[in-house]
Amino acid sequence: MATPTKKYTGPITVDPVTRIEGHLKIRVDVRDGVIVKAFSSTQLFRGLEQIVQGRPPHEVHNYVQRACGVCTTTHSLTSIRAVEDAIGLTPPPAAQLIRHLILSSLIVHDHLVHFYHLHALDFFDMADALNADPVAAARLQGELAGRDTDPGEYFIVQSRLRKFVEGGQLGWLTNAYFLGGHPAYRLSPEENLVMAANYLAALRVQLKLARAMAVFCGKNPHSQTMQVGGVTCYDSLRPERLEEFRALYGECREFINANFKGDLFLLGRRYPEVARYGAVSNHFAFDDFPDPETGRDFFFPSGVLWNRDFKRLESLDTGHIKEHVARSWYEPGPERHPYEGVTAPQYTGYDEDGRYSWSKAPRYKGEPMECGPLARRAIAYARGEEETVRRLDEWLAASKLKPENIFSTLGRTACRMVESVELVNRMQGWLDDLQARTRAGKVEIYKEWTMTDKARGVGLCAVTRGALSHWINIEGGTTANYQMVVPSTWNLGPRCSAGKPSPVEEALTGNPVEDPERPVEILRTVHSFDPCIACSVHVLQPGGRERVFKVL
Amino acid sequence: MSSSARIAALLMDRQREAAGFSRREFMKFCGLVAVALGMEASMGPVVARALEGKRRPSVIYMHGAECTGCTEALLRAVDPYVDVLIMEIISLDYCETIMAAAGDASHKALETAMRNPDGYICTIEGAIPTRDGGLYGQVGGETMLSLFSRVAAGAKAVIAMGSCASFGGIQAAAPNPSGAKGVGEALAAVGVAPINIAGCPPNPVNYIGTVVHLLTKGMPELDSARRPRMFFGRTVHDLCERRKHFDKGEFAPSFSSEEARAGWCLHKLGCRGPWTYNNCPTALFNQTNWPVRAGGPCIGCSEPGFWDQLAPFSTDIREKKRA
């Protein structure tokens, strides 16, 4: 396909956006090859919050876990935290450790699959890997990953790819933007082969980490052993089970520390311009991974970072969260706290001057906020946390970039890599702690409780894609109202009642588009948020009373 | 021999090894499939010949109202690994979760795949919203109801992947705000009668086994809920490794009890195994575990309407029946 030499002016629609979870439409206006306006529209409504009304509060986690099978377990955990908050229960420390291991495995797994299988094809050309010299590719991988590599591996991958491509059935690569060459794809054949090999290897690495989660969860996706009160996976406390977990996560740890990290250094070297667009103004994060004994000293700290200024860091107050529906397919109403009442779905057709998405628009102090790995790492960077500063500075220096460049399309993914490395290395401490407790004697992982007649509670969680919160009102011992405010609603929602674009809409503005028929730059920026749309489509329910927010 | 010649010879060996490696893996897979389909392992080569047509059979995989957990489950497959599945066994011609193309380019890939003269197997993950003409779920400006009708009606076979596609699933639980329905119910009007691979998520072994059965032996025998009997013929309870405790009346009374710690039967804590047809205890999830083994009661996730019919999940089902 020839690429037009004249800069494009006009509209572009990408629908469906693929390589995401769920159904998303992106429409942009381009002037002289640069995006000037963007609209993000989620295309599915499921109504989970209506469905859980009237059900026993301690069973809601089963239902809302099905909000998403990609970030599986996080909605379950967050729901359980909301109910535990409402009934005033603190789970036993060993249960906290198991939940930490489940959540950290999930985040690392999710980041890994996102990078290789949902995002990397925006940067590497799998077909061009056929032109590579496998010996040179092995040498390159050795340099990037800092460990010995075997040229034979690259022969194997290349011969498989050759057979696949020459067979003429391209399957899931059919009509890929890179086929036939694309000016925005700039890796050498050897670099493409390294990425292709890691793409295929990661498919097998990810299932090990999923298997590790299944050691505690019974299965993955969708845990069945997390309950209000703790966890119920007594079988997983056996020494051989814990060793199984250790071996499985250890394999992934090696891959992440070497290959995932190396590949981000490769992209930083080849695509520095992708670290110069895609910025969002404001960022926020929730606390998570507390010390299991004290409930404090979070491994992921919360915060709010204004205007990409590392000096403008303030503490988070969830009382400032409100959801807007002015531009969403719900009956019109004012901005509301998650605990407050609402509206029924009301589809009125796609209208960029009016309503255009099933997603609501959450705002913090009236402002759109990015959440996720970039927000978390930027906040840690602003706090001067040693490991984040050291790892991000290393990547920035190798890519000849400045700290401000982490606020970008490529920076978002570099932060995802840094976070994966930090988390996968931190897991050992939690596992050692759990193992020491099981060796010392009988460990408590579940605490009995009584359901209260009337209470409200919030569960906050720092999940893969950002700040997840569930809000429950319990009345008559049952679920009177339930609300989920999820990361992809923050990142990929529509405009708010003040007309302010959401983070992805802001991030897309200013992006270049070289070829309007194959707008890979749009995919790069949208994918950098790791959209998870099933999570973000829901409806609020009438409740009608002002509520006081409580921070977990 | 010069060093460059030595390297060349080494690499030639590697190349031969590469070809042999994938062949060995493929033959191993065919043997496993033969066993899964109730044949002798020695029938592996027969399965291999059936699968080694000139062109890999095309699969179109649609996503409706779902959570992508079924796709994630498929990524956990090991016999074969998913890369072997999509590179060497089938041609995955449309699947929004992993396909490289997006927008118009992906739509064109779908239209081309649907015109394949050799036909295609259609897999649908997720329910289909039907309220108000289906506008609660759209892809490329077309309702899922309309798009899936076209894709499924033209398929050689339709597989409903997971409990949402099979029976409506979570979004069809009361009050079913979007009018979500399973594939069989939503698309009956266009003559679609799917094979239901139920489960939340389904076991990838059951999906791959069904695909291979279709390719080698045709339509598998189905139960009244249109699930393949070879995978859903017995209850979880029948196959459960804690069954011996049930038979002796050894029940865990609470999750904090010594009995729960000792691995006794979870019946009184809400286990729905006796009402649930699936092979979880024998097929295992992630090759290593399944909920009851770990200590979590079965919630009946492969049964039609389980979100309402088998809930609340934490109550002894006999109490529910009495209520």
Side-chain angles (χ1 to χ4, degrees):
Chain A
M1 239 180 284
T3 296
T5 46
K6 192 168 171 289
K7 296 282 188 194
Y8 175 77
T9 295
I12 298 175
T13 300
V14 183
D15 179 16
V17 176
T18 52
R19 280 184 280 125
I20 61 167
E21 193 302 319
H23 302 276
L24 178 69
K25 162 178 168 173
I26 295 288
R27 209 204 62 76
V28 301
D29 286 327
V30 180
R31 192 180 301 143
D32 297 325
V34 176
I35 294 172
V36 291
K37 216 182 220 184
F39 297 88
S40 168
S41 169
T42 65
Q43 295 282 303
L44 174 71
F45 166 78
R46 296 166 79 206
L48 295 192
E49 284 133 328
Q50 272 172 302
I51 289 164
V52 298
Q53 279 207 1
R55 302 197 189 253
H58 61 284
E59 294 203 0
V60 168
H61 71 92
N62 284 307
Y63 292 80
V64 296
Q65 179 164 220
R66 272 66 186 188
C68 187
V70 176
C71 31
T72 171
T73 70
T74 61
H75 285 282
S76 175
L77 176 59
T78 308
S79 177
I80 288 167
R81 284 178 176 177
V83 177
E84 288 175 349
D85 179 44
I87 64 177
L89 181 143
T90 306
Q96 290 278 35
L97 284 168
I98 291 171
R99 290 178 181 182
H100 282 10
L101 289 169
I102 293 169
L103 179 61
S104 53
S105 301
L106 187 277
I107 292 174
V108 174
H109 176 275
D110 231 357
H111 283 346
L112 183 74
V113 171
H114 170 263
F115 177 64
Y116 284 105
H117 308 118
L118 306 185
H119 198 17
L121 289 171
D122 300 335
F123 294 100
F124 86 97
D125 176 344
M126 203 174 298
D128 187 52
L130 299 187
N131 303 319
D133 169 0
V135 179
R139 205 179 304 123
L140 172 68
Q141 176 69 91
E143 177 231 318
L144 287 168
R147 62 176 182 180
D148 287 342
T149 49
D150 178 353
E153 300 293 325
Y154 297 85
F155 256 99
I156 291 173
V157 170
Q158 197 182 39
S159 54
R160 270 185 90 193
L161 276 176
R162 177 164 289 120
K163 194 175 164 211
F164 177 77
V165 170
E166 288 174 356
Q169 287 178 285
L170 288 183
W172 87 105
L173 300 181
T174 302
N175 293 353
Y177 288 169
F178 53 74
L179 292 174
H182 187 298
Y185 281 84
R186 288 203 313 275
L187 299 189
S188 71
E190 286 71 27
E191 290 165 340
N192 282 317
L193 180 55
V194 165
M195 291 293 294
N198 287 338
Y199 176 103
L200 293 172
L203 272 176
R204 299 194 185 190
V205 171
Q206 59 84 23
L207 68 87
K208 299 279 179 66
L209 202 47
R211 193 181 296 160
M213 280 183 263
V215 166
F216 293 120
C217 296
K219 63 181 162 71
N220 171 277
H222 295 333
S223 165
Q224 236 157 280
T225 59
M226 287 196 288
Q227 297 283 353
V228 170
V231 294
T232 66
C233 48
Y234 290 104
D235 180 71
S236 320
L237 301 175
R238 288 188 290 123
E240 52 273 39
R241 275 301 201 192
L242 295 178
E243 282 309 317
E244 181 186 3
F245 183 94
R246 187 182 295 277
L248 288 164
Y249 113 90
E251 280 183 58
C252 306
R253 177 178 174 167
E254 201 179 326
F255 187 84
I256 282 159
N257 278 315
N259 301 53
F260 190 3
K261 183 179 167 200
D263 286 345
L264 256 299
F265 278 73
L266 172 63
L267 295 192
R269 188 192 295 169
R270 291 291 176 242
Y271 294 104
E273 83 282 3
V274 184
R276 293 196 178 91
Y277 58 77
V280 170
S281 301
N282 307 312
H283 298 77
F284 89 116
F286 290 155
D287 290 315
D288 217 315
F289 301 111
D291 179 281
E293 292 287 347
T294 65
R296 292 191 294 274
D297 300 324
F298 299 90
F299 184 60
F300 279 8
S302 64
V304 181
L305 190 65
W306 293 103
N307 207 28
R308 304 196 288 274
D309 182 347
F310 290 121
K311 295 192 184 68
R312 287 188 64 195
L313 178 68
E314 63 179 43
S315 56
L316 175 80
D317 174 358
T318 55
H320 294 300
I321 296 172
K322 285 191 174 181
E323 287 207 297
H324 299 210
V325 294
R327 311 296 290 274
S328 312
W329 289 316
Y330 299 97
E331 278 178 14
E335 306 84 72
R336 295 171 190 272
H337 285 172
Y339 271 145
E340 292 174 358
V342 212
T343 36
Q346 187 186 67
Y347 184 75
T348 49
Y350 183 85
D351 176 9
E352 289 171 0
D353 297 322
R355 298 190 263 160
Y356 62 93
S357 179
W358 281 118
S359 175
K360 290 169 182 291
R363 296 292 183 262
Y364 183 83
K365 293 187 176 174
E367 295 297 327
M369 309 295 291
E370 174 174 352
C371 58
L374 166 54
R376 288 193 289 252
R377 285 318 107 205
I379 287 164
Y381 196 89
R383 290 163 56 109
E385 294 197 4
E386 190 276 330
E387 187 177 6
T388 299
V389 172
R390 172 168 50 81
R391 292 190 183 281
L392 274 177
D393 281 348
E394 188 193 1
W395 181 79
L396 289 165
S399 310
K400 298 189 173 59
L401 294 165
K402 298 197 176 81
E404 70 211 40
N405 294 112
I406 71 168
F407 300 103
S408 67
T409 294
L410 189 57
R412 211 163 271 121
T413 296
C415 288
R416 193 169 279 119
M417 174 277 288
V418 167
E419 182 165 287
S420 302
V421 170
E422 289 189 25
L423 204 47
V424 81
N425 292 333
R426 177 66 184 85
M427 283 166 70
Q428 182 172 326
W430 294 320
L431 182 61
D432 288 347
D433 187 350
L434 179 64
Q435 207 161 29
R437 288 166 194 263
T438 59
R439 282 176 183 150
K442 200 194 281 182
V443 290
E444 191 195 9
I445 57 172
Y446 183 86
K447 217 184 253 182
E448 295 296 332
W449 46 266
T450 318
M451 185 48 63
T452 155
D453 187 57
K454 189 170 165 58
R456 57 178 177 261
V458 59
L460 306 177
C461 196
V463 304
T464 313
R465 295 165 182 81
L468 174 64
S469 55
H470 285 203
W471 313 77
I472 188 168
N473 290 330
I474 299 170
E475 281 174 27
T478 190
T479 307
N481 198 5
Y482 202 87
Q483 173 60 25
M484 297 144 71
V485 186
V486 313
S488 290
T489 317
W490 286 99
N491 289 337
L492 293 120
R495 285 160 171 74
C496 59
S497 49
K500 291 178 182 172
S502 67
V504 75
E505 292 173 333
E506 182 186 358
L508 279 166
T509 307
N511 279 212
V513 176
E514 291 210 45
D515 178 352
E517 297 291 320
R518 300 180 294 166
V520 68
E521 300 88 347
I522 293 177
L523 292 188
R524 283 176 183 167
T525 295
V526 174
H527 284 158
S528 73
F529 287 93
D530 190 4
C532 198
I533 303 305
C535 294
S536 68
V537 286
H538 53 268
V539 60
L540 297 167
Q541 279 301 296
R545 270 154 298 180
E546 191 75 25
R547 302 289 186 184
V548 180
F549 276 61
K550 223 160 96 174
V551 179
L552 198 67
Chain B
M1 210 189 285
S2 74
S3 72
S4 63
R6 257 201 319 275
I7 290 170
L10 175 76
L11 292 178
M12 285 300 289
D13 282 352
R14 282 296 194 172
Q15 214 159 9
R16 274 196 294 274
E17 201 179 294
F21 171 76
S22 89
R23 180 75 195 161
R24 269 203 309 279
E25 221 172 55
F26 178 71
M27 291 310 294
K28 176 183 158 233
F29 163 68
C30 292
L32 287 165
V33 164
V35 173
L37 299 183
M39 301 185 266
E40 297 293 316
S42 59
M43 291 289 280
V46 177
V47 173
R49 274 196 296 282
L51 291 177
E52 281 184 313
K54 229 176 163 169
R55 291 175 66 77
R56 286 173 287 125
S58 170
V59 174
I60 295 178
Y61 194 117
M62 306 301 294
H63 285 87
E66 40 76 29
C67 75
T68 314
C70 303
T71 306
E72 286 280 355
L74 192 52
L75 290 181
R76 315 292 187 258
V78 298
D79 287 317
Y81 289 108
V82 76
D83 57 284
V84 175
L85 180 72
I86 65 176
M87 290 180 75
E88 277 104 24
I89 296 173
I90 64 165
S91 184
L92 187 61
D93 290 330
Y94 187 85
C95 175
E96 286 165 26
T97 310
I98 66 163
M99 68 192 299
D104 288 346
S106 67
H107 209 71
K108 282 179 192 146
L110 176 61
E111 298 295 336
T112 307
M114 285 170 63
R115 288 194 302 270
N116 185 341
D118 299 330
Y120 57 88
I121 293 171
C122 171
T123 300
I124 296 177
E125 171 177 343
I128 302 178
T130 64
R131 191 177 144 205
D132 299 334
L135 50 79
Y136 293 85
Q138 301 187 37
V139 181
E142 184 174 3
T143 64
M144 290 166 182
L145 182 60
S146 159
L147 178 63
F148 293 7
S149 294
R150 287 195 293 128
V151 179
K156 289 195 287 197
V158 178
I159 301 176
M161 177 72 163
S163 289
C164 296
S166 296
F167 313 120
I170 181 73
Q171 48 278 310
N176 193 353
S178 62
K181 291 180 177 172
V183 171
E185 192 184 355
L187 304 186
V190 292
V192 170
I195 302 169
N196 291 329
I197 306 300
C200 187
N203 198 310
V205 169
N206 298 348
Y207 173 75
I208 292 174
T210 299
V211 170
V212 173
H213 196 287
L214 281 169
L215 298 174
T216 55
K217 300 174 77 181
M219 194 71 171
E221 190 192 342
L222 305 179
D223 69 8
S224 59
R226 300 194 62 79
R227 296 171 297 196
R229 281 191 197 278
M230 57 187 173
F231 306 125
F232 297 90
R234 298 181 68 186
T235 63
V236 167
H237 182 65
D238 276 349
L239 300 170
C240 183
E241 61 216 45
R242 297 192 185 201
R243 177 65 190 264
K244 56 185 184 287
H245 294 293
F246 177 90
D247 291 342
K248 285 191 264 181
E250 294 175 347
F251 301 110
S254 70
F255 283 125
S256 61
S257 65
E258 284 307 311
E259 293 84 353
R261 192 181 291 272
W264 283 20
C265 177
L266 299 172
H267 195 70
K268 290 192 170 163
L269 292 170
C271 187
R272 298 299 185 246
W275 286 266
T276 306
Y277 288 85
N278 208 338
N279 57 357
C280 314
T282 50
L284 299 180
F285 285 94
N286 312 85
Q287 305 83 42
T288 193
N289 216 350
W290 71 286
V292 172
R293 177 179 294 180
C298 169
I299 61 170
C301 73
S302 54
E303 290 304 303
F306 75 99
W307 289 113
D308 294 318
Q309 307 301 325
L310 297 180
F313 303 113
S314 44
T315 317
D316 182 339
I317 200 157
R318 287 166 300 187
E319 286 170 34
K320 179 182 157 65
K321 297 277 176 196
R322 274 199 295 275

